[in-house]
Amino acid sequence: MKKNRGMLVVVSGPAGVGKGTICRALLAQSADIEYSVSVTTRNCRPGETEGKEYYFRTKEEFQNMIKNQEFLEWAEFCGNYYGTPKFHVERALDENKTVLLEIDIQGAKQVKELYPDGVFIFIVPPSLKELSERLHGRGTETEDIIQQRLAKAVQELNEIKNYNYIVENDYIEAAVEKIKCIITAEKCSVRRYLFDVKEE
Ligand code: 5GP
């Protein structure tokens, strides 16, 4: 990472684990963190707003963005496309900001290749039973989609080894506090300073 370049923080974890809630709380408490709003082809859920949670686009529009190389990474997740627009992330890093990406494990893998010194955090549920209860309780997906998302969650738990940190989401506030501590510790890490020294 170049001197005075910001820090990329990637948060992943199974659908329904509470990543969205954790990230929203983290952003509300941290004025110095910028959220990278993704583009998706999935339908807008009640309560979501264009440009806030996502940019909602058609498959055709998404494919055009892929063609124009507008994404840092993109992935297909349970029948929909999701992608991180390149422009925003690169600008924020150039401005020495901390950028938060909430993306799935396929996207995180691609980002790790581009930004190996990013901070990769995996959120885990206290148990799979609890995850299933949360997905059903949310009431935003059909049973078929919930089953697909649960199967995907089991697959995803095997990928934890590619991450730097695990945060268990038993209580939202405790999970947010842990992420804030991780970010602070990373900003102070010798590894990060040594990267800078080498490049001078
Ligand atoms: P949801 O439909 O529940 O909002 O998100 C489904 C999954 O897509 C979640 O695991 C979420 O982290 C992931 N996701 C959201 N935005 C992106 C993105 O830009 N890229 C990738 N690869 N995954 C994303």
Side-chain angles (χ1 to χ4, degrees), residues 26-194:
L26 176 68
L27 290 163
Q29 296 172 31
S30 325
D32 54 333
I33 301 180
E34 274 205 24
Y35 184 64
S36 160
V37 179
S38 296
V39 179
T40 184
T41 61
R42 84 147 160 75
N43 292 334
C44 183
R45 289 182 189 138
E48 288 182 334
T49 319
E50 162 72 15
K52 190 165 173 246
E53 285 79 12
Y54 285 106
Y55 296 108
F56 298 95
R57 296 292 178 267
T58 62
K59 285 201 169 151
E60 199 187 349
E61 286 168 332
F62 197 97
Q63 268 150 1
N64 277 331
M65 291 182 76
I66 297 174
K67 229 187 283 165
N68 297 333
Q69 301 187 329
E70 291 179 51
F71 291 119
L72 193 69
E73 62 72 37
W74 65 271
E76 192 185 346
F77 183 94
C78 294
N80 284 301
Y81 292 109
Y82 295 82
T84 306
K86 212 186 268 181
F87 173 76
H88 173 97
V89 172
E90 289 185 345
R91 183 193 41 76
L93 289 177
D94 283 341
E95 290 171 1
N96 201 17
K97 294 192 171 135
T98 299
V99 192
L100 178 68
L101 269 64
E102 194 236 286
I103 60 177
D104 84 325
I105 51 160
Q106 310 166 71
K109 257 189 197 161
Q110 299 171 51
V111 173
K112 198 163 183 183
E113 282 180 16
L114 294 170
Y115 299 95
D117 57 331
V119 182
F120 294 79
I121 303 173
F122 199 90
I123 314 276
V124 293
S127 70
L128 278 177
K129 182 170 169 281
E130 184 141 337
L131 186 63
S132 167
E133 283 165 8
R134 284 188 201 174
L135 280 173
H136 282 97
R138 194 157 76 176
T140 50
E141 271 91 15
T142 60
E143 184 59 31
D144 187 39
I145 295 282
I146 290 177
Q147 290 310 322
Q148 277 184 42
R149 285 184 173 228
L150 278 172
K152 186 112 190 151
V154 174
Q155 249 179 35
E156 288 187 342
L157 290 172
N158 289 322
E159 300 288 331
I160 290 178
K161 56 186 182 299
N162 297 323
Y163 287 76
N164 305 111
Y165 297 94
I166 293 176
V167 170
E168 189 178 306
N169 184 21
D170 34 10
Y171 298 102
I172 297 287
E173 265 321 306
V176 172
E177 215 40 55
K178 282 184 210 163
I179 296 179
K180 286 203 277 191
C181 291
I182 291 168
I183 291 175
T184 305
E186 281 287 336
K187 282 185 177 164
C188 302
S189 79
V190 170
R191 179 178 69 92
R192 219 159 272 288
Y193 276 91
L194 287 182

